[in-house]
Amino acid sequence: MRYFPLAAGLAVCSVLLVAGCGDGQRFGADAGNTPPTGTTPTYDATIRRDSVGVPHIRGEDYGDIGYGYGYAHAEDNVCVLAEDLITTLGQRARYFGRSGTYSIPSNGNTSNNVDSDFFWRHVTTSDRIAALRADASPEAAAATAGFAAGYSRYVRELKNGDHPGRHLACRDTDWLTEINADDVYRRYFRLAVIASSSALVTEIGAAQPPLPGATGPAVAVDRDQFPLSDGLPIGSNMYALSGEATQSGQSMLFGNPHFPWEGTERLYEAHMTIPGELDIMGASLYGVPAALIGFNRNVAWSHTVSTAYRFGLYELTLVPGNPTSYLFDGEVREMEAETYSIDVLEDDGSITEESRTLYRSHYGPMMSLSVSGIPVLGWDVVRAYTLRDANADNTRLINQFFAWNRAESLDDFMAKQREILGVPWVNTAATGPNEPAYYADITVVPNVPDSLVTTCQSILGPVVGALMPGLPVLRGSSSDCDWGTDADAPAPGIFGAGNLPFLIRDDWVHNCNDSYWLTHPDEPITGFAAIIGDEETERSLRTRLCIAQIQDRLDGSDGLPGTGFADLQQLQDVVLSSAVLTERLARETVLSSLCPLGTLLSSSLATVDVSEACSILEAWDGSLNLDSVGGHIWREFWKRADDATLPLWLSPFDTADPVNTPNSLNPLNPQVLLAFADAVEALNEAGVALDATLGSLQTSGVHDPDNPIPIFGGNGFEGAFTIAARGNLVDGGYPVTYGNSYIQAVTWDDNGDPIAEGFVTYSQSTDPASPYFQNMTEAYSRKEWIAWRFTEAQITADPNLTSLRVFE
């Protein structure tokens, strides 16, 4: 195992019970570090920080844990989370101005601040927050209230002048405020609807009834501009390996979300302990005081983004002459109208008020979708469209993770998933010590069987279906077209666990963001509704490599010694190898068929000498590691070849061999020749040396550009498994603002204790003044895996351990 310590310079910050380097004394940390005699604190937590900045939070109950977590998280990331909390309150335009925008990188949505405010006011209603609060388990409710209190305490400290030099981006702003539990529940709601409503912020927040003379919607549309037409722009890889896939006979788990390196969908690592009740370590999206991906002594799990849709659309038949009324079961229904007023900071510094009336049907908010000015799903005098969001009503999501955090076995873990059914939009893979491998897409999915789509398809349903296969657009004029409810579903309108895919194997399972179908190629999963995912269709290049890496290791064809995974390090070497599937499939054809031509004609009709590029590609090691030379040439070529409209492969996809097909690059495709010439031309015009190493070009885009941190890895379109960047050349380089994020590789020792290593690739803190701003990124760059300290012996053995007791 390999462990990366912090630089020796941080040792000066390692005194126990200190307030922190350069900080004033913190509230609660009095000379004796104990509450005043005769008082019982509402919250009392101990936060121990290890060398890499992971907080180990200990308390007597869930309120204590939440309090310590909220304080520690604010200490690392208060500005980023505070901005998002103000946004979901619908106050973004007040503080960030009319001309500003709000982006959600995890679903690709960008809206102006005004539309954003109206959207969040409209969808995050007090009733929805009250329902989340009312349905929260006692554990979740206590931790949520504690998180708000701990976070608020750190905000008070900043506002009182403590922690000098920290959080300069927000410490003196008006939008950094204390929060309450409802603000945290609002954060949960924001996370629940990432794969649904919040991908349509403008479409909902700006939807208005038609003006007189409006006509019906057109249907022509550019697929590339249609929201979610290619799914969420986030992804993940995960493996669960049982004893049959390892040389030790012990189970292993690998988890690796590919999430933004910016914003609140970053992941944060923490360890939480309540003696005799809870001992869990793992990562959460910002603002959640529970492990969303993690491990304990009994189980380890991870997630990948699922292909299932979490929402559906209904086409309403409007009452003639009244575009805010519609017909339902032969009767007239009035839309519910709500008028909202927001404050707006204008460019001249003044504050104005703006009001907007928004509408909802009994299904959900009204929406109006235009692409390039074309009202694809428009609101006219005849028809209108409304969205029903299954996760907007999912009050169980936070309970799911609090229950999983204290799972006592894999069986217990699986049972809790089926019973609570609160996972909003991700697949799950899990295993435990000497346990089988488990996969499930047992998540919140609208109960829309294929038969309902057939009988209730709306006029524009086929058009939308061509752009977003599986998304239902149903007639909203009849209760016969309502979503169904399974007997085993915990809430109306969703599938129960019995109609959702899962698989248990004695060897291995995986998911790399394609549907459930090929979770294990020897046991394809079939027979589920199209809204959940596709079956017997071509898999992505990343999924194919994802499967091939396991198959090659199990039969020993990857050149490594033995068969099966020898240990955790061998698994780590495979998952960070930065291999590229398209190189395996096509490089030899390029070298043998394109390179002998010497020169090629580019799209600009220029003659391009490709001989140097060919020599480099011939010597290329075939990976996207830091010292690899030639990977960027291949990237620029494949980015263009991947867009070919003529047949790219000579051997097409075959359901009988889905891992290995399609294959055999078609060298007679003229678009392939153009792609190679254009790639070389583009690199020359950008001044990028053809013989540059990838590490000199691809660096972290969230750290100091004057001291660049090189990042290995590639993109899904290349067939990369190890993910970094988006593949776009910017100012002669590839800034990484997306990709491998939290990484964990887990197994167990003979005593049943977890052995876990990993990274938070962008590091724990978003504050440049923090010692934990880039330390893990530097370790990740060197592939120096960090040993997560789980047992008490491991924690206390850390030579740089610090401790702080916080209470109030």
Side-chain angles (χ1 to χ4, degrees), residues 33 45 141 246 436 477 491 550 556 564 569 607 641 651 654 669 671 694 701:
N33 207 49
T246 68
S477 57
I550 297 291
Q569 181 173 336
T607 300
S651 297
D654 184 353
N669 182 337
Q671 293 173 317
L694 184 69

Side-chain angles (χ1 to χ4, degrees), residues 119-335:
F119 169 83
W120 290 110
R121 294 280 185 94
H122 192 46
V123 301
T124 317
T125 63
S126 58
D127 287 347
R128 292 202 187 281
I129 301 309
L132 275 168
R133 183 174 61 245
D135 288 353
S137 67
E139 297 85 2
T144 299
F147 181 94
Y151 173 98
S152 295
R153 178 184 144 177
Y154 188 80
V155 170
R156 290 196 300 273
E157 292 179 18
L158 279 181
K159 294 295 186 179
N160 286 340
D162 293 333
H163 317 296
R166 297 297 305 275
H167 306 291
L168 298 181
C170 70
R171 64 180 297 145
D172 296 324
T173 66
D174 292 338
W175 50 266
L176 178 63
T177 64
E178 296 182 42
I179 63 174
N180 59 36
D182 279 359
D183 294 310
V184 186
Y185 286 117
R186 196 174 288 106
R187 172 66 182 157
Y188 301 161
F189 182 88
R190 152 81 164 75
L191 294 175
V193 298
I194 280 176
S196 45
S197 301
S198 69
L200 299 161
V201 170
T202 300
E203 290 76 9
I204 293 173
Q208 294 291 289
L211 297 172
T215 59
V219 297
V221 65
D222 182 351
R223 176 188 174 90
D224 292 340
Q225 297 184 46
F226 202 85
L228 295 180
S229 60
D230 291 320
L232 290 175
I234 51 178
S236 310
N237 300 326
M238 64 183 180
Y239 295 136
L241 309 173
S242 196
E244 289 187 9
T246 68
Q247 294 180 22
S248 67
Q250 184 55 275
S251 302
M252 297 181 186
L253 182 123
F254 166 70
N256 174 206
H258 310 146
F259 272 45
W261 284 31
E262 301 171 295
T264 55
E265 273 70 77
R266 284 171 51 122
L267 287 140
Y268 185 75
E269 171 82 351
H271 180 198
M272 293 160 281
T273 303
I274 301 172
E277 166 70 14
L278 178 74
D279 197 8
I280 184 69
M281 191 169 191
S284 298
L285 298 172
Y286 284 14
V288 182
L292 303 183
I293 294 173
F295 57 91
N296 60 23
R297 288 179 57 89
N298 309 312
V299 68
W301 78 95
S302 193
H303 297 299
T304 60
V305 176
S306 163
T307 57
Y309 284 107
R310 311 300 164 173
F311 66 100
L313 305 179
Y314 277 96
E315 182 180 272
L316 302 181
T317 299
L318 301 180
V319 175
N322 186 354
T324 60
S325 297
Y326 59 99
L327 298 175
F328 185 75
D329 283 346
E331 298 181 354
V332 174
R333 287 203 175 191
E334 291 287 335
M335 296 177 190

Side-chain angles (χ1 to χ4, degrees), residues 650-716:
L650 296 175
S651 297
F653 169 71
D654 184 353
T655 55
D657 190 12
V659 180
N660 299 306
T661 59
N663 60 45
S664 303
L665 181 67
N666 181 5
L668 299 180
N669 182 337
Q671 293 173 317
V672 171
L673 279 75
L674 283 174
F676 195 43
D678 288 349
V680 176
E681 183 180 62
L683 289 170
N684 288 335
E685 289 179 351
V688 177
L690 298 180
D691 61 352
T693 62
L694 184 69
S696 67
L697 302 174
Q698 186 166 278
T699 59
S700 168
V702 300
H703 295 99
D704 183 3
D706 293 330
N707 296 284
I709 303 173
I711 305 296
F712 52 86
N715 301 267

